[in-house]
Amino acid sequence: MAMSSARKGWAAVGLAASVSLVLAACGGDDDGGDDTAGGGETSGGGGDCAFAEDFTDLDGTTVTVYSTIVAPEDAPLEASFDAFEECTGMTVVYEGSDEFEAQLPVRIQGGSPPDLAIIPQPGLLATLVRDYDAVIPVPDEARANVEASFDPAWIDYGTVDGEYYGTPFGANVKSFVWYSPSAFADAGYEIPETWGDLIALSDQIVADGGIPWCAGFGSGDATGWPGTDWVEEVMLRTAGIDAYRQWYQHEIPFNDPQVVEAFDTVGEILKNDQYVNGGLGDVSSIATTRFEDGGLPILQGNCWMHRQASFYQANWGEGVEVAEDGDVYAFYLPGIDPEQGNPVLGGGEFVAAFTERPEVQAFQTYLSTDHWHAERASKGNFVSANRTVPVDAYDSPVNQLSAEIIADPEAVFGFDASDLMPAEVGTVAFWTGMVNWITGASTQETVDAIENAWP
Amino acid sequence: MVLAIALFGALMGLILLLTGRVRKRADLWQSLAFVLPALLLLSVGLIYPAIRTTYQSFFDRAGEFVGGDNYQFVFTNDAMITVLRNTAIWVFLTPLLSTFIGLVYAVLVDRSRVEAAAKAVIFLPMAISLVGASIIWKFVYEYRPDQQGIEQIGLLNQVLVWLGAEPRQFLIGEPWNTLFLIVIMVWVQAGFAMTVLSAAIKAIPSDITEAAQLDGLTGVRMFRYITVPSIRPALVVVLTTIAIGTLKVFDIVRTMTGGQFGTSVISYEFYTQGFRTLNTGVASSMAVILFVLVVPIVVYNVRQMRKAEYR
């Protein structure tokens, strides 16, 4: 995996080199007054390239982009840059890495940051701004683009200490419960509308001799994050969006009674021996099961429900149809307290710039336009928080459903809290805390330990 | 390739020519000219980072001077104490177990008919990287529940199921999981211990062993009074080398548990602190602690090797 992405990197460098050679050759022709190079430019100004009219003087420039997205997801991503590259003559050198979060600060300190990075955690963005003073604020045109086509909250997520640093890139919806429509139909189960229905259904499955839930927290050295999503979902549903916001901003402590209640409500499902862990073992097996494998027992009928984000559809494997009448599909994880409405937990990535060159700012601006978001959606396997992208531009039913949920003004959208917390908490203490909690630590011990880790 | 060799030859010639022209103390200049590049690389790659790391360990993440706070944190925080405890268990058990197994094995197969094959079996794991070894053992420890329609894929749990016991999760229970990780390191290092010790045993002069045999020494007493004292220097080298390697055990912890379930050690924790939480101060202080722990072992090792040489 690492090998192939490294190779990919070299291929990208090779490609960049050959493209720049070709461009250089074109430039040479231009001096001779040759018409072929001019032909290229006219196509640059015409029909398909209308979107690029605002982006001038980019011919021959190069912008490097660094992110967590590696093969196979990097292919549609790189394809979405093609139109811009063809129309402006700019070269985008893309590099993805599994070690992005650790490598980015190293590259910044080493004096060789990428021009643009696609950052999955606003908490990391804040750290880079505050501790490293390395991020260039978003250009005004890009900000205007985001204000025009996104929920205003997306400006907040990219804002650190009053300055705007990150434009929204991809988005995902986490509040899904995966299930097998055919198995539900055979057993006569209905999709639960409320939390009460959900628990009643779980009890029904137990009574029928099944194990309703399956889960997996394992994810290499990021082990524990699926657990934080569970707590965040319930926190949004029991305490509400305002308390949720106070929670990730540390205006209430991590061991606040509202957080304890959220943990305990999750525990009613995940720490219940009768409810978990279908086909995977006892409660503690949740800690060691890889998150990619967590929902697969549904296919064998060993479990019935698996809460995981929209992107989990990539894990079902070849030949498994993901659709309302297919092998697996997802329903919305119901709300708990009617007063808190129907909360939706989601996440997203942000584009931040580390160098101040006109072409970098131009490309960051382009990545915030409706054109790019539509272009990216058309390449597949992506959801955008951009409201102008038509729902049927997305390639799968789950992505369409996600886009509908994100665009719904009634939905209470909560951004992944652990991604918004400082790295010590959000990506270390909270993750480790979830692992310890599921393997036997009490809720109070767990939340106290996480609170102590807050810087 | 040819060009590189030619360049190397030319450079050497140039150095020899230049230093040869110096009349006074030509030897000194000559050795300096050859040592200089190595010294330069050493200072850039080792000495400067060591000084800088020590310096950074007195600052917090925002660059404020905090004195010994980082060290205090490492020695008082509960999670960090677990890390120190685990490191101590690793450094104590791994060299002892590997050396003991290697030594007993070397003695048992010595001059037996299957010696070459038997040695190859225990030496082979040496050729596998620690990450590779960890992946192999991950499958050995792999857990599946004992339910209908579920098959065990882990060797150990399959054995347990055959014996009529419940399969168990070897990597979760603290502190036993650290022992299960140590098994991997021992598996890899025993071959090294065996090879070095076997060579040392073969180097024992046969007149000594024959004289002992005439005096009636056999079996365990032969081993205790002749073999072990004769190979003492080799034993020390093996023990200290494995101890140093153990202090650097990063790969096994990362591959097997990612430091979860209370299995983290200093060499892994300082990576987590430095690169995941961007807490350079605490990370640096852990690196310094690791450095301080290694120094006495290295000094002892070097002195022993010198003694062995001059004997």
Side-chain angles (χ1 to χ4, degrees):
Chain A
M1 184 93 165
M3 181 83 171
S4 72
S5 69
R7 242 186 236 154
K8 196 108 197 161
W10 282 112
V13 170
L15 188 73
S18 50
V19 167
S20 50
L21 276 179
V22 169
L23 287 173
C26 284
D29 284 349
D30 227 10
D31 290 336
D34 197 299
D35 273 342
T36 44
E41 270 167 28
T42 33
S43 85
D48 286 339
C49 285
F51 75 89
E53 273 171 4
D54 296 340
F55 304 101
T56 48
D57 296 335
L58 297 176
D59 203 1
T61 56
T62 299
V63 171
T64 58
V65 178
Y66 190 44
S67 96
T68 53
I69 301 158
V70 294
E73 284 87 21
D74 58 350
L77 176 65
E78 287 189 67
S80 74
F81 301 150
D82 290 348
F84 190 77
E85 288 181 279
E86 276 161 24
C87 290
T88 61
M90 176 198 268
T91 308
V92 178
V93 179
Y94 175 78
E95 187 192 351
S97 166
D98 290 332
E99 293 286 310
F100 173 84
E101 283 95 340
Q103 285 303 315
L104 182 60
V106 172
R107 286 182 63 173
I108 291 169
Q109 281 185 311
S112 60
D115 292 324
L116 294 172
I118 302 163
I119 299 174
Q121 298 108 0
L124 177 62
L125 178 67
T127 305
L128 295 175
V129 171
R130 291 189 185 130
D131 291 0
Y132 291 79
D133 196 20
V135 190
I136 312 291
V138 169
D140 291 339
E141 309 94 276
R143 189 192 169 105
N145 288 338
V146 178
E147 278 170 350
S149 306
F150 290 79
D151 186 283
W154 286 88
I155 296 270
D156 290 345
Y157 304 141
T159 301
V160 184
D161 300 333
E163 186 91 56
Y164 188 47
Y165 289 102
T167 54
F169 193 76
N172 57 66
V173 171
K174 306 210 179 198
S175 305
F176 284 129
V177 178
W178 293 88
Y179 72 106
S180 164
S182 53
F184 264 51
D186 291 346
Y189 299 148
E190 302 262 313
I191 291 175
E193 300 280 326
T194 67
W195 192 267
D197 291 350
L198 187 73
I199 299 297
L201 172 62
S202 304
D203 288 334
Q204 179 65 43
I205 294 172
V206 173
D208 294 348
I211 302 175
W213 292 89
C214 42
F217 287 181
S219 181
D221 67 353
T223 293
W225 69 260
T228 68
D229 284 2
W230 261 104
V231 173
E232 288 154 9
E233 293 274 17
V234 173
M235 185 76 192
L236 272 172
R237 284 166 173 73
T238 54
I241 186 76
D242 292 329
Y244 181 82
R245 199 172 288 135
Q246 290 168 343
W247 177 50
Y248 68 68
Q249 290 174 345
H250 208 220
E251 285 166 13
I252 58 172
F254 203 100
N255 47 10
D256 188 89
Q258 298 178 86
V259 186
V260 172
E261 190 197 338
F263 267 83
D264 286 341
T265 310
V266 175
E268 282 166 22
I269 292 178
L270 289 189
K271 281 191 160 190
N272 183 335
D273 272 329
Q274 294 192 301
Y275 279 12
V276 293
N277 191 8
L280 297 165
D282 56 4
V283 170
S284 64
S285 71
I286 293 174
T288 46
T289 302
R290 289 174 57 82
F291 99 91
E292 293 92 333
D293 302 336
L296 301 185
I298 290 178
L299 299 175
Q300 282 93 45
N302 286 321
C303 81
W304 293 83
M305 292 181 281
H306 178 63
R307 192 221 63 87
Q308 192 49 270
S310 51
F311 52 71
Y312 195 74
Q313 61 183 309
N315 293 93
W316 291 108
E318 292 284 315
V320 177
E321 197 194 346
V322 180
E324 202 158 358
D325 50 358
D327 302 314
V328 285
Y329 198 54
F331 63 80
Y332 164 74
L333 180 72
I336 297 178
D337 182 351
E339 278 179 29
Q340 309 299 354
N342 283 349
V344 180
L345 183 70
E349 296 129 9
F350 298 84
V351 184
F354 298 93
T355 54
E356 204 163 14
R357 297 201 312 273
E359 61 267 27
V360 177
Q361 266 62 43
F363 193 55
Q364 189 181 19
T365 305
Y366 171 62
L367 291 179
S368 71
T369 57
D370 300 344
H371 183 272
W372 180 78
H373 282 268
E375 181 78 11
R376 177 66 191 88
S378 73
K379 306 290 182 201
N381 207 2
F382 179 80
V383 179
S384 170
N386 188 309
R387 287 168 169 166
T388 67
V389 179
V391 167
D392 41 354
Y394 296 106
D395 62 332
S396 80
V398 170
N399 286 348
Q400 290 176 0
L401 191 58
S402 306
E404 272 173 35
I405 290 175
I406 290 176
D408 179 6
E410 296 290 304
V412 182
F413 187 83
F415 196 92
D416 189 312
S418 61
D419 287 349
L420 290 161
M421 293 172 182
E424 286 99 322
V425 184
T427 65
V428 179
F430 199 175
W431 290 352
T432 311
M434 291 314 300
V435 172
N436 293 341
W437 180 76
I438 204 70
T439 52
S442 76
T443 298
Q444 198 63 46
E445 275 175 66
T446 307
V447 292
D448 288 346
I450 302 172
E451 171 62 20
N452 286 337
W454 205 290
Chain B
M1 186 66 190
V2 177
L3 189 75
I5 294 173
L7 251 170
F8 179 74
L11 194 69
M12 288 294 136
L14 188 72
I15 293 175
L16 283 174
L17 190 77
L18 284 179
T19 50
R21 292 174 68 96
V22 185
R23 290 279 158 82
K24 274 185 191 168
R25 315 190 64 182
D27 287 0
L28 181 76
W29 285 107
Q30 209 160 42
S31 32
L32 260 186
F34 282 111
V35 167
L36 209 64
L39 273 183
L40 216 84
L41 288 176
L42 208 65
S43 52
V44 171
L46 202 74
I47 298 170
Y48 172 70
I51 294 170
R52 192 170 157 76
T53 303
T54 316
Y55 174 78
Q56 277 181 336
S57 69
F58 297 108
F59 292 84
D60 71 357
R61 53 183 306 137
E64 300 275 324
F65 181 80
V66 292
D69 280 11
N70 290 327
Y71 292 94
Q72 199 197 343
F73 173 79
V74 173
F75 286 109
T76 53
N77 181 286
D78 281 347
M80 297 299 130
I81 287 173
T82 310
V83 167
L84 295 177
R85 180 202 70 190
N86 289 342
T87 309
I89 298 177
W90 271 93
V91 175
F92 181 74
L93 281 184
T94 316
L96 282 184
L97 284 175
S98 320
T99 313
F100 180 75
I101 293 172
L103 178 60
V104 169
Y105 200 86
V107 171
L108 287 183
V109 302
D110 194 38
R111 299 202 180 104
S112 74
R113 241 186 293 162
V114 289
E115 185 172 348
K119 277 181 166 175
V121 168
I122 197 170
F123 188 71
L124 275 177
M126 272 284 286
I128 304 171
S129 73
L130 287 183
V131 172
S134 303
I135 291 170
I136 292 172
W137 281 86
K138 235 183 145 113
F139 282 111
V140 173
Y141 293 144
E142 185 72 31
Y143 165 86
R144 287 284 182 277
D146 199 10
Q147 284 174 6
Q148 254 191 339
I150 308 268
E151 280 180 26
Q152 296 295 330
I153 62 169
L155 178 70
L156 270 185
N157 275 321
Q158 182 63 71
V159 170
L160 283 181
V161 170
W162 278 333
L163 294 176
E166 282 279 306
R168 55 169 296 182
Q169 302 210 54
F170 292 98
L171 298 176
I172 282 188
E174 205 183 332
W176 301 108
N177 47 9
T178 295
L179 298 186
F180 290 117
L181 298 193
I182 287 176
V183 167
I184 303 168
M185 190 71 160
V186 170
W187 184 67
V188 171
Q189 294 286 11
F192 164 73
M194 186 272 299
T195 317
V196 174
L197 297 177
S198 173
I201 290 171
K202 291 198 186 305
I204 300 175
S206 55
D207 43 352
I208 296 182
T209 42
E210 275 162 21
Q213 269 165 352
L214 283 178
D215 285 346
L217 271 187
T218 47
V220 178
R221 292 174 67 213
M222 178 78 158
F223 176 74
R224 168 74 186 79
Y225 293 108
I226 302 296
T227 311
V228 172
S230 306
I231 60 168
R232 213 182 85 84
L235 270 178
V236 170
V237 169
V238 167
L239 276 171
T240 50
T241 310
I242 296 178
I244 294 169
T246 307
L247 277 171
K248 295 187 293 190
V249 60
F250 170 89
D251 331 39
I252 293 179
V253 174
R254 184 174 161 100
T255 314
M256 295 297 285
T257 61
Q260 301 282 7
F261 321 117
T263 56
S264 196
V265 291
I266 294 182
S267 53
Y268 183 72
E269 193 62 25
F270 91 81
Y271 169 81
T272 307
Q273 292 289 338
F275 294 101
R276 286 212 0 240
T277 70
L278 311 177
N279 213 339
T280 328
V282 172
S284 303
S285 60
M286 298 199 109
V288 170
I289 292 169
L290 199 63
F291 182 67
V292 168
L293 287 177
V294 174
V295 165
I297 306 180
V298 173
V299 169
Y300 185 67
N301 199 349
V302 169
R303 288 180 59 169
Q304 282 297 323
M305 278 202 277
R306 271 213 193 131
K307 251 195 228 165
E309 263 170 39
Y310 287 133
R311 213 168 44 170

